[in-house]
Amino acid sequence: MPSTTCDAVVVGAGPNGLVAANGLADAGWDVVLLEAQDEVGGAVRSAESVASGFVTDLFSAFYPLAAASPVIRDLHLERHGLAWRHAPDVVAHAFPDGRCAVLRRSASGTASGLDRQHAGDGDAWLRMVAGWNRVRDPLLDALFTPFPPVRAGARLLRRSGVTGSLDLTRLGLLSVRRLGQEEFGSEEARVLFSGNAMHSDVSPDSAGSALFGWLLVMLGQDVGFPVPEGGAGMLATALRRRAESLGVQVRCGVPVTAVMVSGGRATGVRLADGDVVRARHAVLADVPAPALYRDLVGPGHLPPRFLDDLRRFEWDDATLKVNWALDSPIPWSATGARRAGTVHLGVDDDGLVDVAADLSVGRMPERPFMLLGQMTTADPTRSPEGTESAWAYTHLPRRLAADEGALGRQVERIEEAVEAVAPGFLATRRARQVQTPRGLQDADGSLSRGALNAGTAALHQQLVMRPTRGLGRPETPVPGLYLAGASAHPGGGVHGACGWNAAVCALRHRGPLGMVRRAMVRTAWSRVLRDPAP
Ligand SMILES: Cc1cc2nc3c(=O)[nH]c(=O)nc-3n(C[C@H](O)[C@H](O)[C@H](O)COP(=O)(O)OP(=O)(O)OC[C@H]3O[C@@H](n4cnc5c(N)ncnc54)[C@H](O)[C@@H]3O)c2cc1C
């Protein structure tokens, strides 16, 4: 059986796997990166899949998290071909009656728009942005480092003081509905937050949803919702180029079928074709937690208590995506949506709660909420002048993800909803591609039924509960094996932190205090997995 040996093997070349490989190679490790699909990128890929000359982002498209991430920033991907582009406006929420909420590139621009909708909302906006600016850097550091974020947490506390820290803690527990009601008079301002909270799978009425909405809206005001010039895949290409320039061996089309465990530690991986890649120091897995533990490691190598916790792992909702090549820009009746890269539509602020309730009880939303991307508006290289490359996606209950009749009807509802806010839209369609939940999963095995976040983002699966009760860190109960994908803290989105944190932990376990660190992790896991006293 042919075999290769390296310092570390990384399974999965999504953004997290690519970042992990870069981090390890920066430290001089000899790294092999293995990807099941024929190209790298995971849910960061693009192709001319709808019509010739139209570049379509096949999964993710807008990258505020990447633009703000200290991890991605420090990789200097612009030296490897990445260029960010911005739409004239960041995000809009289009209502059927022609109203529109618009997040503009400048805080004063957003504030004056909101103030026109309700006097006083402009000042409320500027106060919120000033509060964000105060905590931004330590907060992002705390979010993107392994748990517990000791240094960043201390800086955050110093910067915000006791009052500010209490405010932040409250924000972390608040529902986004309540946040909107407390701060703003108009539905337009409120729906900016609740619509952005719906980028996660947390209901706008649930504790914790305010933090998602606030974070994404504040990032949108701060760094925008940028897109890579030429397509989402250019971000993955830049990560691959950088990794290869450091000597990382990237192999595509090679699904990993097992993590090899010997002497109680991870020693390498087995590939579908029977090849083996041995790892002297570490195996990093950019795959969702259930796939890693159940399929690749196998229950025989895991403590019963851990397997029991894994049974409780909760996925996020399924996703249905429609891509279009349009002969002209979308004819919005809500004119505020014309210049925005991302447009939310389909329901109003109350309607978002109805959608969340439908998803919760397993009912197909009759009035779906949609996130729509106008990619040529954001980056003119995406399609010929005067046309638009666009997509929209919506969430579905996981139980209906394979119901073809229900999916077909939902595609019709998506197009009807766009037509309702942009009469004439249907006539602009040159070509269309539907990505069903199954299609999304076939194109990236980590996207279970199209789930965006590799596990729910709800509070009960965050921090030390992510992906299961544990350390909230990349170390797994198998020494030498690190969870590097979005199932790990801090979760979904393209920020690279899950991969980076895994690489840093693997390196530290081989560094000067490595033995001590490894012993501490072993002890911590044994405490977490110990059966409660009878
Ligand atoms: C439709 C959609 C829209 C989204 N929109 C946005 C957005 O606009 N902005 C944003 O920030 N985030 C967005 N996201 C979320 C974001 O794309 C993901 O959170 C992110 O890609 C997770 O990165 P990852 O590296 O952990 O996993 P992935 O990107 O899923 O990559 C995992 C990789 O591992 C490979 N793999 C899995 N199993 C194996 C195996 N056994 N052997 C070898 N390889 C394997 C897969 O093929 C894949 O390439 C979106 C996601 C989806 C699905």
Side-chain angles (χ1 to χ4, degrees):
M1 180 194 325
S3 96
T4 314
T5 301
C6 56
D7 290 332
V9 49
V10 180
V11 182
N16 281 312
L18 285 159
V19 166
N22 272 281
L24 296 170
D26 276 339
W29 280 23
D30 163 26
V31 181
V32 175
L33 174 57
L34 302 166
E35 168 54 48
Q37 300 290 331
D38 289 337
E39 56 174 329
V40 301
V44 183
R45 281 181 282 161
S46 43
E48 290 190 24
S49 57
V50 183
S52 165
F54 288 73
V55 176
T56 292
D57 291 342
L58 295 169
F59 315 93
S60 59
F62 291 96
Y63 298 105
L65 293 168
S69 161
V71 171
I72 304 273
R73 181 198 57 214
D74 291 349
L75 295 177
H76 299 290
L77 296 176
E78 62 286 352
R79 294 180 196 154
H80 300 272
L82 177 69
W84 291 119
R85 302 294 292 253
H86 290 266
D89 290 328
V90 183
V91 187
H93 189 112
F95 295 86
D97 60 9
R99 283 180 302 137
C100 200
V102 188
L103 176 60
R104 300 186 196 281
R105 293 295 308 284
S106 76
S108 57
T110 308
S112 53
L114 295 180
D115 214 54
R116 273 196 296 279
Q117 276 143 354
H118 187 275
D121 276 2
D123 283 344
W125 182 266
L126 293 174
R127 274 197 305 277
M128 196 174 263
V129 172
W132 161 260
N133 287 335
R134 261 195 308 280
V135 297
R136 177 199 196 277
D137 292 338
L139 179 69
L140 291 177
D141 283 346
L143 281 178
F144 291 143
T145 46
F147 198 82
V150 179
R151 267 189 230 143
R155 272 201 302 136
L156 186 57
L157 189 61
R158 269 202 308 277
R159 189 75 66 87
S160 45
V162 174
T163 315
S165 300
L166 285 172
D167 286 346
L168 265 180
T169 309
R170 183 167 183 274
L171 184 69
L173 299 172
L174 207 60
S175 78
V176 74
R177 294 269 294 175
R178 184 69 204 152
L179 174 73
Q181 286 157 5
E182 286 178 2
E183 303 300 328
F184 298 102
S186 75
E187 183 183 13
E188 286 88 339
R190 292 197 294 261
V191 85
L192 275 181
F193 290 86
S194 43
N196 275 282
M198 294 287 278
H199 287 230
S200 77
D201 66 323
V202 185
S203 156
D205 257 347
S206 293
S209 56
L211 188 65
F212 285 106
W214 174 80
L215 184 65
L216 218 44
V217 169
M218 289 298 111
L219 282 176
Q221 189 63 92
D222 187 348
V223 295
F225 276 20
V227 305
E229 184 176 278
M234 295 305 290
L235 173 55
T237 300
L239 283 164
R240 177 182 184 152
R241 282 188 190 140
R242 186 183 185 283
E244 286 181 327
S245 75
L246 297 164
V248 173
Q249 202 191 119
V250 181
R251 292 172 62 187
C252 290
V254 286
V256 168
T257 52
V259 171
M260 299 185 308
V261 181
S262 159
R265 58 172 290 113
T267 53
V269 299
R270 182 165 288 112
L271 312 184
D273 62 8
D275 274 15
V276 160
V277 182
R278 294 183 197 285
R280 279 183 285 267
H281 302 325
V283 175
L284 281 73
D286 174 13
V287 298
L292 172 62
Y293 297 120
R294 288 202 191 110
D295 306 339
L296 301 188
V297 174
H301 294 294
L302 295 163
R305 181 73 206 231
F306 183 79
L307 292 170
D308 194 43
D309 286 345
L310 199 58
R311 185 176 60 76
R312 297 186 170 83
F313 176 87
E314 184 182 349
W315 282 103
D316 39 325
D317 303 313
T319 307
L320 173 67
K321 185 165 179 279
V322 185
N323 307 315
W324 298 283
L326 303 176
D327 281 330
S328 58
I330 299 177
W332 300 102
S333 54
T335 51
R338 287 193 184 153
R339 292 156 37 97
T342 306
V343 183
H344 296 159
L345 67 124
V347 287
D348 57 15
D349 201 31
D350 289 347
L352 290 171
V353 179
D354 296 335
V355 168
D358 285 339
L359 295 174
S360 169
V361 300
R363 196 167 46 216
M364 189 65 93
E366 281 184 20
R367 292 176 57 230
F369 169 63
M370 270 160 287
L371 291 94
L372 182 147
Q374 314 194 86
M375 303 318 296
T376 314
T377 299
D379 168 16
T381 70
R382 300 296 181 95
S383 69
E385 202 179 337
T387 66
E388 185 72 69
S389 171
W391 52 258
Y393 72 75
T394 191
H395 291 301
L396 320 169
R398 288 179 67 78
R399 72 174 192 89
L400 296 175
D403 181 333
E404 290 194 6
L407 293 175
R409 179 72 192 102
Q410 210 61 0
V411 170
E412 285 169 16
R413 287 189 181 123
I414 287 176
E415 294 199 322
E416 285 161 13
V418 185
E419 180 73 16
V421 284
F425 160 76
L426 292 173
T428 68
R429 288 174 308 172
R430 182 183 299 187
R432 183 183 85 179
Q433 173 194 26
V434 174
Q435 291 179 277
T436 61
R438 182 76 235 181
L440 290 164
Q441 184 175 328
D442 287 347
D444 175 349
S446 296
L447 304 176
S448 165
R449 302 183 205 175
L452 262 68
N453 288 318
T456 182
L459 271 184
H460 65 269
Q461 205 163 280
Q462 290 291 0
L463 304 173
V464 290
M465 306 295 167
R466 190 166 187 89
T468 56
R469 269 174 356 106
L471 314 184
R473 297 174 56 83
E475 293 98 335
T476 69
V478 181
L481 175 65
Y482 302 85
L483 181 61
S487 282
H489 171 74
V494 178
H495 42 65
C498 310
W500 185 257
N501 292 343
V504 169
C505 282
L507 292 167
R508 287 198 178 144
H509 285 184
R510 291 283 138 192
L513 291 175
M515 245 168 59
V516 180
R517 289 180 200 276
R518 293 199 302 270
M520 281 167 64
V521 169
R522 263 199 316 275
T523 310
W525 268 118
S526 71
R527 296 253 159 97
V528 167
L529 296 175
R530 186 182 292 164
D531 279 329

